[in-house]
Amino acid sequence: MPPTVSDLVLVLQLFLPAGLSIEKAFYLIGVIISIYPLLRLHINQRRQPHQPARTAWTKTILTLLKAAFKSDSDEDDLVWATGMDFTPDDFAQRICDDLEPLYNMLGLNPQNLAAQSPGLLFPTPRRILCTSRLSCAFCPVADLNIIPTLRRRVDNQTVWILDESFGWVQADLVIAHCATCRADYFPDRITYKDANGRRRQKLELSTDFLRISKHGIWAHKKIALFQEHAVHRLHAGWSNLAELINDFTGTQRKLTYRQSQRLFVEHFSRRLLHFHKRDNFSCDAHPSTKLLAEAVRREIGVNGGFLESAMAHGCTNCTHLKRYRSDLAAEGANFGDAQGVAGVEADGGSNANAPDVGENPFDPPAQQDAPPAGQPRGYVRLAVMDGKNIPHQKCALDQCERPLVNYKNGRFCEAHLNLQDVCGIVPCGLPVQSPGALTCATESHIQWHRDYSSRFARLSFPGVRRVIRRQQEHSASNGQHGPTLEVALPPLGDTPGNQVVHTFKAKSTYCLQTVQWACGYPVGWGKCYRSESSPQVLGILNRIWANFPNFKPSFVAYDDACNLLRHIITQNPNDPWIVTTKFIVDAWHYINHRATDVLCRLWCNPAPKNGSQPDLVLVEEDSNGIQHETRAFNTETAEQLNSWLSGFESQLRHMSDVNYDFYVHVLLMIYAERVDKHVAAKNLQLSEEFWAEATGE
């Protein structure tokens, strides 16, 4: 006969004090069950002759029992402070001495060494999924000063959960309902009717379970956190994670690719909305994965965005006290020429062909030599910007920036969808020869498309390497060097093959443009189409700081800052950027720019040696006591971020515009949190003394 409740009560009465909390008592029973294998090892050792009555196994058992009896709360301490005759160690010793009869009372026979050890004492109960709310979140206070309470909506439903132990278990889903406003409360969301009678939903930002399928499939939040770390550390995609979890669970029930993607979108929708302080977000009720991603994307940024937290970010790597020429002089700086770069060797760039700027009337104005008396110093921040060639597909027309209607095999956006029935050779304009064809009935167009298709259909990585190797061999024989890939296409009439304009395949965006502070903390991002042109780059900067004009950086480091500055001046000499920000070329690119570009030499030096920009130069002493002028900011953080983004390039290239934007928002949030952790770990936060000197407050 299996042990009964009476047996358990007897064990509790004999071995545990009556005043012990229920939680502690059941914890101790669990510990007693867990050490059962150690008692079996003790008994097995005792079978050999000349063994001590108390083996090392019993000593270990006693140590574990004493540790289990140690108090974790003040309430447990009161149990032993009420004049009791026995201490916690006494109870541990009594249990250790009487373990075998105790196990017999619980239905276990430690002398039967052939029997298996018992399983869990407390089987996992069936999960109940329901809302954590008790009252309606929309209705005002009603009678008796009580907010309308929630009712049960329908009978409980049986669902499947991928729980925190990566196992599939069944659970009961119970939906709550407000009888007043007709809102339904799920564990992870609330659905309600808006003023127009449309069904909407708000996401519960802190929930333990997420619905990942309309067919009753849920996942624990720890699975979502595992996916987040897999994305961050392993660059895992949705399908990779699904396969990994399925291999781990080893059951017939599988996590599908779509469910893995839904888990990603559900989890990061909440993470992004909380990170961007969009706690009042709502969307259509029960949206598909695509519609949910679209709604979150509309909320935080389409084709770009910014991190509001970045505007108030500051650390010692990106924010410095305002410096003056007198500071450099006091530090022992040796002033040189205006074109020299601090921290770069004298021969770091060629000046052989440099234009003579001489006494140019447009020389930068002289900087203030010393801080104004009695005024706070102020502070400066430097942002770094760069483009990374991580595109996604767009409409096949060069000038169109709209997304594709069909990302699987489509070519056009919704506005140009009618062109799929027009010959793909531009500007032919004739209808296609048959439904689904890409050219008209003109034989030359058909043949050119056939040559184009045969040329690219067989394009593969080994094939590209073979072509480049052969072209290198040919170039080397002609005295030329460097890998190239020249795709030979036949001419179409008088038009060379590489100049034929067509719409046989979708085009791609040009690059992903990112902006971050000099410490690496992302500020914002955008897309460039066709090229990384100055108008597009300026547009990205304007969108990022449109609502934060007072948080514009003091300096922007960009590899093409001289042309960007030239564009700003040409378009609007009174542009606010001219007043608020100095554009500089990062040190690596400036070495090549300064040889031929007068504007770059005069205005965009990242760390001039003549003391004209003391905010950009520091004087540091090496281990030998020799002083060196160095750059005050790291102007290569954009390259470092781009290097990190390269690990996700293969995934981003094959995404739709919605998934691409959503994923980039996620990546920049993760990177920002990574920088925050680094700042906290290295104690790089700005001190109160810094702000007192900078602002006088």
Side-chain angles (χ1 to χ4, degrees):
M1 179 178 176
T4 64
V5 173
S6 298
D7 297 319
L8 177 60
V9 170
L10 183 59
V11 168
L12 295 174
Q13 289 176 338
L14 290 176
F15 294 99
L16 299 178
L20 202 64
S21 66
I22 293 178
E23 180 182 3
K24 186 71 171 183
F26 280 106
Y27 168 74
L28 290 169
I29 292 295
V31 171
I32 291 171
I33 295 298
S34 69
I35 61 178
Y36 181 76
L38 301 184
L39 179 62
R40 285 158 54 89
L41 287 167
H42 162 73
I43 294 173
N44 190 51
Q45 180 179 336
R46 289 272 295 152
R47 292 169 59 194
Q48 290 185 337
H50 311 298
Q51 295 298 317
R54 292 185 177 274
T55 65
W57 296 114
T58 57
K59 295 177 182 178
T60 300
I61 290 173
L62 181 59
T63 301
L64 294 175
L65 288 171
K66 287 181 177 180
F69 268 99
K70 285 187 177 178
S71 174
D72 294 328
S73 68
D74 295 337
E75 293 180 0
D76 289 336
D77 289 338
L78 293 175
V79 175
W80 315 109
T82 55
M84 189 174 295
D85 295 333
F86 298 102
T87 66
D89 288 352
D90 293 333
F91 277 95
Q93 185 67 60
R94 288 178 56 187
I95 293 174
C96 185
D97 293 339
D98 297 328
L99 262 183
E100 193 167 340
L102 187 155
Y103 283 129
N104 290 330
M105 296 173 67
L106 293 176
L108 301 174
N109 182 11
Q111 294 292 341
N112 183 7
L113 300 179
Q116 294 183 351
S117 297
L120 294 175
L121 176 64
F122 307 108
T124 303
R126 187 178 175 97
R127 299 270 193 177
I128 304 295
L129 303 187
C130 69
T131 180
S132 60
R133 297 179 182 271
L134 300 177
S135 303
C136 183
F138 302 102
C139 293
V141 175
D143 296 338
L144 303 178
N145 201 30
I146 297 176
I147 299 176
T149 57
L150 301 180
R151 313 289 200 272
R152 192 194 68 170
R153 184 176 182 274
V154 293
D155 292 340
N156 58 297
Q157 307 169 25
T158 298
V159 297
W160 282 94
I161 298 177
L162 183 60
D163 68 8
E164 61 269 36
S165 61
F166 290 83
W168 288 102
V169 297
Q170 282 191 313
D172 290 306
L173 172 64
V174 182
I175 304 171
H177 176 72
C178 176
T180 304
C181 69
R182 305 296 180 183
D184 292 332
Y185 288 78
F186 296 81
D188 61 339
R189 64 195 181 280
I190 307 170
T191 64
Y192 63 97
K193 284 187 177 181
D194 64 9
N196 298 319
R198 296 176 301 177
R199 203 72 184 170
R200 305 278 293 174
Q201 80 171 23
K202 292 176 67 70
L203 300 179
E204 295 282 21
L205 299 185
S206 57
T207 176
D208 287 338
F209 297 96
L210 298 168
R211 191 185 69 170
I212 58 176
S213 171
K214 292 183 177 180
H215 302 289
I217 307 297
W218 293 69
H220 193 275
K221 67 178 181 181
K222 287 189 176 180
I223 305 297
L225 291 174
F226 173 78
Q227 184 181 45
E228 177 176 336
H229 291 296
V231 168
H232 180 195
R233 301 298 182 185
L234 305 178
H235 303 168
W238 302 317
S239 58
N240 301 121
L241 182 83
E243 292 172 0
L244 175 64
I245 291 178
N246 291 334
D247 291 342
F248 186 78
T249 57
T251 61
Q252 291 185 346
R253 182 167 294 279
K254 304 295 183 183
L255 180 70
T256 67
Y257 161 77
R258 291 182 181 276
Q259 291 167 0
S260 178
Q261 181 183 3
R262 180 75 184 201
L263 176 63
F264 180 93
V265 173
E266 288 280 356
H267 171 65
F268 277 110
S269 291
R270 291 163 171 79
R271 292 268 281 112
L272 286 170
L273 292 170
H274 180 70
F275 183 82
H276 288 271
K277 301 178 181 179
R278 302 292 199 277
D279 296 343
N280 293 323
F281 166 83
S282 67
C283 63
D284 291 337
H286 308 298
S288 65
T289 302
K290 178 183 177 181
L291 292 178
L292 177 58
E294 282 183 346
V296 175
R297 172 189 182 232
R298 283 195 301 271
E299 185 73 20
I300 62 178
V302 177
N303 294 328
F306 61 87
L307 283 69
E308 186 173 345
S309 58
M311 301 305 166
H313 173 81
C315 67
T316 57
N317 285 340
C318 68
T319 308
H320 296 171
L321 287 171
K322 173 68 181 168
R323 287 166 57 82
Y324 298 86
R325 184 182 174 91
S326 59
D327 296 320
L328 284 177
E331 293 170 357
N334 295 316
F335 299 118
D337 66 285
Q339 283 75 49
V341 183
V344 177
E345 297 296 332
D347 59 351
S350 174
N351 281 322
N353 300 319
D356 181 15
V357 297
E359 296 296 331
N360 195 299
F362 299 103
D363 278 349
Q367 302 295 311
Q368 192 169 1
D369 185 67
Q375 296 294 320
R377 271 187 171 263
Y379 63 92
V380 295
R381 284 196 296 181
L382 182 139
V384 188
M385 178 171 56
D386 196 17
K388 173 67 177 177
N389 183 233
I390 306 181
H392 68 78
Q393 289 185 315
K394 68 172 190 69
C395 183
L397 295 183
D398 281 337
Q399 301 304 315
C400 182
E401 300 177 358
R402 298 185 184 91
L404 298 177
V405 173
N406 174 14
Y407 273 89
K408 183 176 181 180
N409 52 20
R411 296 180 292 144
F412 297 105
C413 64
E414 188 172 3
H416 298 118
L417 202 57
N418 61 306
L419 294 181
Q420 64 185 356
D421 298 324
V422 177
C423 179
I425 300 292
V426 179
C428 174
L430 295 176
V432 295
Q433 57 180 327
S434 61
L438 299 182
T439 64
C440 61
T442 305
E443 185 59 34
S444 60
H445 291 184
I446 296 174
Q447 183 60 42
W448 198 90
H449 174 254
R450 188 179 296 120
D451 293 339
Y452 171 88
S453 299
S454 63
R455 180 66 186 84
F456 287 100
R458 297 190 301 271
L459 196 62
S460 63
F461 182 66
V464 170
R465 292 179 62 187
R466 184 169 57 254
V467 170
I468 291 178
R469 184 170 62 251
R470 290 176 180 175
Q471 291 179 353
Q472 280 183 306
E473 293 172 354
H474 176 72
S475 299
S477 62
N478 296 330
Q480 301 175 358
H481 301 280
T484 59
L485 177 60
E486 300 171 4
V487 179
L489 290 170
L492 180 62
D494 296 332
T495 306
N498 62 346
Q499 296 180 18
V500 175
V501 180
H502 61 85
T503 59
F504 295 150
K505 61 178 294 186
K507 296 293 192 300
S508 296
T509 58
Y510 183 77
C511 72
L512 170 67
Q513 198 78 13
T514 58
V515 184
Q516 51 275 311
W517 297 122
C519 61
Y521 196 98
V523 180
W525 65 281
K527 301 174 189 175
C528 288
Y529 301 83
R530 298 179 297 282
S531 67
E532 191 178 342
S533 62
S534 295
Q536 293 182 92
V537 172
L538 179 60
I540 292 171
L541 289 176
N542 285 334
R543 286 191 293 273
I544 290 175
W545 274 281
N547 298 324
F548 307 95
N550 296 329
F551 291 91
K552 286 184 176 180
S554 309
F555 300 91
V556 170
Y558 175 46
D559 56 14
D560 199 25
C562 43
N563 284 325
L564 177 59
L565 179 60
R566 184 178 287 111
H567 169 75
I568 294 173
I569 292 293
T570 302
Q571 297 301 312
N572 181 12
N574 297 316
D575 193 297
W577 283 104
I578 303 300
V579 178
T580 61
T581 304
K582 181 176 177 62
F583 292 88
I584 61 175
V585 176
D586 65 274
W588 193 85
H589 288 88
Y590 176 77
I591 300 304
N592 295 319
H593 284 212
R594 64 173 176 163
T596 57
D597 194 327
V598 175
L599 183 145
C600 190
R601 288 165 63 89
L602 285 175
W603 295 94
C604 300
N605 190 331
K609 287 187 174 181
N610 67 343
S612 60
Q613 289 296 330
D615 291 310
L616 301 176
V617 180
L618 295 177
V619 179
E620 296 183 343
E621 188 175 289
D622 61 20
S623 57
N624 297 320
I626 301 175
Q627 289 186 328
H628 301 273
E629 295 175 11
T630 63
R631 295 187 295 277
F633 295 97
N634 178 11
T635 60
E636 306 301 325
T637 54
E639 301 288 349
Q640 295 161 6
L641 173 59
N642 288 343
S643 176
W644 183 75
L645 290 174
S646 295
F648 306 93
E649 181 176 353
S650 60
Q651 301 173 45
L652 287 165
R653 282 179 176 270
H654 296 91
M655 290 183 178
S656 67
D657 65 315
V658 174
N659 289 340
Y660 182 98
D661 290 2
F662 189 92
Y663 206 84
V664 172
H665 281 302
V666 167
L667 293 178
L668 293 190
M669 176 187 67
I670 290 176
Y671 198 83
E673 293 173 342
R674 174 175 164 172
V675 174
D676 273 337
K677 290 179 181 178
H678 173 76
V679 169
K682 299 295 183 180
N683 196 25
L684 302 177
Q685 302 95 331
L686 299 177
S687 64
E688 293 182 1
E689 292 77 11
F690 172 92
W691 290 114
E693 189 173 358
T695 64
E697 298 178 357

